Amino acid sequence: MFRQLECFIQICKEGSFTKAAEVLMTSQPTLSQQIRSLEVEVGTPLFERVGRGVKITADGEILYEKALSVMRLIEESKKETYELRNARANKLSIGISPTDFLCLVPRFLKFHEQYPDITLKFASAENTSQQLLNSNIDIGITDNYNPNKEIHMMHLYKEEQALVVYADHPWADRTFVSFQELENLESPLFVGDISLIEHLHTFSAKIAKSLQSKFESTSTAILLSMVLHKMGVAILPTSLIENFSGQQLKMIRLVGPTPLREIKLIFKKYHYNNPSVQKCIDFFLE
């Protein structure tokens, strides 16, 4: 239909099948066939023969105005999609937690140096898999990945987790504690990492009971604040603890085994409409 309208408009402009065929670089029989098909489609003749040329019919006049509108809309759509594609190509939305952002600041600065034209937009990582599927973000950086056939996952790094206590906690003078010793905790234990919570539940029923606190949060920053306010102790990423460590907090290493968070880069399988996504993936692969 698009090609038929294009032929129809050109004949209207030239007033001749022969001239229109020359402009469109096609044969006159092919052009005639396109118009016959269009006339069948609309159910009425569109041209009358006048000497060596043609004259548009009254029905043809109506179609001509509509056809011009259709062609204008198509051109506008092409222009808008081109602008959108190029705008998206220079913008990258990343879902990431404040903790992981602190760890990756040097990498993001290096990425910016390598691709100064790409604007990085950081969004709070809540449910990164769903945020990706909803196209709210282009890339997710998380330790909590829900497997999905539409999403690819790439390992970034592993980060140690440690116990953090307030300054006057009975264990504040300790450097290391074992997982077994966590059973002797007298204060509530807060954990932000879901996989670690599951591990602790299977490891010890007593520790699992300690996790059933009246204060809960999935935000590592909030958990850290809860420790500062002496509401309990927590197992949190060492980078977060180190950024807020001081006289009010004490970090204690965990042994047997040492818990680790695996940080992943996740992205949609079909991301090719945004070249910035592939650039980011290639950058982290390096």
Side-chain angles (χ1 to χ4, degrees):
M1 177 65 82
F2 174 79
R3 181 58 176 167
Q4 290 168 2
L5 289 178
E6 190 176 38
C7 293
F8 170 69
I9 290 170
Q10 198 61 48
I11 295 168
C12 292
K13 289 179 177 179
E14 300 296 335
S16 164
F17 274 69
T18 304
K19 290 180 180 178
E22 290 175 1
V23 173
L24 294 170
M25 291 184 291
T26 188
S27 67
Q28 190 169 331
T30 300
L31 189 61
S32 298
Q33 181 58 49
Q34 293 281 7
I35 297 305
R36 281 196 295 272
S37 298
L38 183 59
E39 287 177 330
V40 170
E41 191 74 32
V42 298
T44 184
L46 300 172
F47 296 104
E48 296 175 357
R49 291 284 177 180
V50 180
R52 293 186 178 181
V54 291
K55 178 183 175 183
I56 189 169
T57 64
D59 292 326
E61 290 280 3
I62 295 172
L63 180 61
Y64 180 64
E65 293 301 321
K66 300 296 183 183
L68 288 176
S69 297
V70 169
M71 299 303 280
R72 277 196 297 268
L73 287 172
I74 290 172
E75 287 304 314
E76 288 174 10
S77 298
K78 287 181 180 178
K79 182 181 178 183
E80 288 176 14
T81 53
Y82 173 81
E83 290 174 351
L84 177 62
R85 188 166 59 251
N86 281 274
R88 291 195 65 185
N90 293 322
K91 184 174 288 187
L92 191 64
S93 179
I94 302 172
I96 188 170
S97 72
T99 305
D100 297 326
F101 176 78
L102 289 171
C103 288
L104 291 171
V105 164
R107 304 278 286 276
F108 289 133
L109 289 173
K110 188 176 179 181
F111 180 84
H112 174 66
E113 288 175 5
Q114 193 165 326
Y115 300 103
D117 294 334
I118 298 177
T119 300
L120 297 180
K121 178 184 176 183
F122 298 103
S124 175
E126 296 164 1
N127 183 339
T128 45
S129 297
Q130 195 58 50
Q131 286 173 287
L132 270 178
L133 293 173
N134 293 343
S135 298
N136 294 325
I137 58 174
D138 300 309
I139 278 177
I141 294 176
T142 180
D143 64 342
N144 182 22
Y145 162 63
N146 298 321
N148 187 293
K149 62 181 181 181
E150 294 183 34
I151 296 176
H152 278 333
M153 180 272 290
M154 186 178 87
H155 170 79
L156 281 185
Y157 63 93
K158 288 185 178 181
E159 181 179 41
E160 180 185 351
Q161 297 195 84
L163 186 70
V164 58
V165 302
Y166 44 89
D168 53 354
H169 186 273
W171 288 10
D173 60 343
R174 300 284 302 274
T175 304
F176 297 94
V177 297
S178 66
F179 262 87
Q180 288 82 356
E181 288 180 277
L182 291 177
E183 290 187 328
N184 301 323
L185 266 176
E186 295 181 1
S187 49
L189 177 64
F190 308 132
V191 181
D193 185 87
I194 294 174
S195 59
L196 181 57
I197 290 174
E198 293 171 353
H199 176 70
L200 289 172
H201 273 276
T202 57
F203 181 79
S204 167
K206 191 172 180 181
I207 295 175
K209 188 175 180 181
S210 174
L211 288 167
Q212 295 172 352
S213 170
K214 291 183 179 180
F215 305 106
E216 295 181 357
S217 176
T218 55
S219 165
T220 52
I222 290 176
L223 294 178
L224 186 64
S225 179
M226 288 160 70
V227 176
L228 282 167
H229 286 85
K230 302 183 181 182
M231 296 163 69
V233 299
I235 298 176
L236 293 171
T238 54
S239 61
L240 180 71
I241 301 169
E242 287 167 351
N243 273 285
F244 290 91
S245 63
Q247 295 182 351
Q248 294 178 299
L249 292 174
K250 177 67 188 296
M251 182 168 71
I252 305 170
R253 302 280 180 179
L254 287 165
V255 293
T258 299
L260 299 171
R261 286 172 72 237
E262 183 183 4
I263 311 303
K264 311 170 190 72
L265 181 80
I266 63 174
F267 50 93
K268 271 187 180 179
K269 183 178 180 181
Y270 302 105
H271 60 271
Y272 307 107
N273 62 331
N274 187 348
S276 295
V277 174
Q278 191 59 50
K279 288 176 182 176
C280 186
I281 294 167
D282 293 341
F283 174 82
F284 277 105
L285 278 172
E286 292 174 4

